Amino acid sequence: MDKLIVQGGGPLEGRIRVSGAKNAALPILMACLLAEGKVELGNVPRLRDIHTSLKLLEILGCKTSFDGNDVTSDAVALVPEAPYELVKTMRASVLCLGPLLARLREARVALPGGCAIGARPVDLHLKGLEKMGAKFELAEGYINGTCNGGLKGAHITFDFPTVGGTENLLMAASLAEGESILENAAREPEVEDLANFLNAMGAKITGQGTSVIRVEGVKSLKGCSYRVMPDRIEAGTYMCAAAITDGELLIEDCPYQELDAVSYKLREMGVWLEETDEGVLVRRDGPLVGTDVTTQPHPGFPTDMQAQFMVVMCMASGAGTIEEKIFENRFMHVQELARLGADIRLKGRTAMVRGGKPLFGAPVMASDLRASASLVIAGLAAEGKTEISRIYHLDRGYENIEAKLSGVGATIWREKE
Ligand code: EPU
């Protein structure tokens, strides 16, 4: 296993480029199952979860290639089973359920277990697909789904605007018979990107990016070329890194419009952000001051930025709170940040951060993807050496992070543990 060593203390300065969005690329890859013909995707980040998805597509009967950041997929001979060995390493595998039911009228997909950030059930995915005519039974840890008469369009109102649930239903509805209406749908930009990709394949979807999405089912979808959107969470992570190191970064290919809630909070804390022709410029605009944050479905403050934001709050004067409303257990980074000297108290789903205290390097352990990112940027701000173990989590979501951060002045390297 690898570990990352960060020698902190210096400001980050220069240009840093954002990669394609993991959370857009994953559903888009599963949507390739729907196409008759070859799909070509650009701006696909080279990440562990992407390699896992391609392995899954191969197992499900697609021919794939991955060259640089370009992926091709051709669904030549589909088979309906997604095995536990792959699903357990990546929860997003469950997104093949909707496409398999739509194309094959059957699916056998391992039930993803819980993960470090919460139980994460998929009941809303199943409830929605049932409304479209699918039947499910759970046996030996697998979801066995069938829809003998084919999927039928349905009016579905989600109990909660689930990202994955909306994506699964969007894919299923694209090939269902008749019209589907998804209400209280997730408005995340990655859901919108998936819908745009489906439309490029010939789907008839409107309302993506709002909470009511309409899908007019079509008989078949064809191959197409599509560029995956840039990663807003990676961009937001670099914004936080610039702020806490008192540096200045120009973030290239930054999906700035999708980061309103984050940039609003950063400004409130004393960070200068400016959109230019070449990217988004980020630097401090004076001393950082504490604020309060509550995570919400988009367009609210994203849960995927909560851990990184906590580090900014640690570097700010005064106290602030972070309330986590999406996942019940997404505070694994708190104890690790405490090892660096952070003063954070947890009460239920709220963390109280008393900022303004210096951080000092220490060995810490990554528990999940965004927690890992928070430890890396905390290491950049801490005095001395921070060793982050279990960084395989980081490799799931940040393409070339050491190279990118080294390119803007960070002292960071990887070692074998
Ligand atoms: N939920 C249910 N039942 C369901 C589905 C969701 O109770 O059927 C609950 C979940 O347990 C959770 C909440 O609803 O408490 C939100 O879950 P959602 O379905 O919206 O999230 P997801 O699709 O599992 C995606 C991202 C996550 C991101 C969340 C929220 C992907 C592959 N994953 O997960 O990304 O945090 O949306 O924005 O798109 C990450 O990248 O680090 C990451 C965890």
Side-chain angles (χ1 to χ4, degrees), residues 88-312:
K88 75 176 179 201
T89 63
M90 191 189 65
R91 296 182 46 83
S93 311
V94 80
L95 293 175
C96 67
L97 192 57
L100 288 175
L101 282 170
R103 291 266 343 247
L104 301 177
R105 299 188 172 189
E106 60 169 325
R108 182 172 150 77
V109 178
L111 189 64
C115 72
I117 61 176
R120 302 182 76 180
V122 290
D123 55 320
L124 304 176
H125 302 225
L126 302 186
K127 241 163 92 176
L129 290 166
E130 270 170 351
K131 271 205 108 179
M132 298 179 75
K135 296 207 176 348
F136 294 105
E137 61 173 41
L138 192 69
E140 297 161 341
Y142 277 75
I143 305 165
N144 293 320
T146 49
C147 55
N148 294 331
L151 293 172
K152 306 270 187 291
H155 191 146
I156 290 148
T157 304
F158 289 106
D159 295 346
F160 177 87
T162 156
V163 172
T166 305
E167 291 168 343
N168 236 333
L169 271 282
L170 261 181
M171 293 187 276
S174 294
L175 283 185
E177 190 188 324
E179 192 192 36
S180 296
I181 300 173
L182 309 182
E183 282 201 65
N184 199 23
R187 287 183 281 170
E188 269 67 6
E190 294 77 15
V191 174
E192 205 176 334
D193 208 35
L194 169 67
N196 293 341
F197 169 65
L198 290 165
N199 280 346
M201 292 200 297
K204 291 192 174 152
I205 302 172
T206 53
Q208 59 270 39
T210 76
S211 53
V212 183
I213 307 181
R214 287 171 193 274
V215 188
E216 185 61 50
V218 296
K219 288 229 168 338
S220 65
L221 294 171
K222 57 184 188 325
C224 70
S225 295
Y226 193 81
R227 183 180 194 270
V228 174
M229 68 173 285
D231 197 311
R232 66 191 165 108
I233 305 301
E234 188 193 357
T237 303
Y238 299 145
M239 288 176 177
C240 293
I244 60 172
T245 62
D246 202 4
E248 179 167 323
L249 288 180
L250 180 74
I251 306 179
E252 296 173 334
D253 211 10
C254 176
Y256 193 47
Q257 323 68 266
E258 320 296 0
L259 278 158
D260 273 357
V262 172
S263 48
Y264 182 84
K265 280 291 162 190
L266 283 172
R267 281 205 181 90
E268 209 176 276
M269 296 184 77
V271 177
W272 173 269
L273 291 151
E274 187 186 339
E275 200 172 14
T276 74
D277 289 344
E278 294 178 67
V280 174
L281 202 57
V282 191
R283 63 169 180 272
R284 267 192 211 174
D285 194 22
L288 295 175
V289 289
T291 186
D292 299 319
V293 167
T294 302
T295 64
Q296 303 273 5
H298 193 77
F301 191 91
T303 173
D304 289 347
M305 280 302 302
Q306 181 255 104
Q308 303 89 310
F309 219 78
M310 193 176 279
V311 183
V312 187

Side-chain angles (χ1 to χ4, degrees), residues 61-84:
C62 299
K63 288 223 168 318
T64 67
S65 70
F66 195 9
D67 182 16
N69 293 108
D70 296 329
V71 161
T72 64
S73 170
D74 197 353
V76 282
L78 291 185
V79 288
E81 179 166 332
Y84 181 57

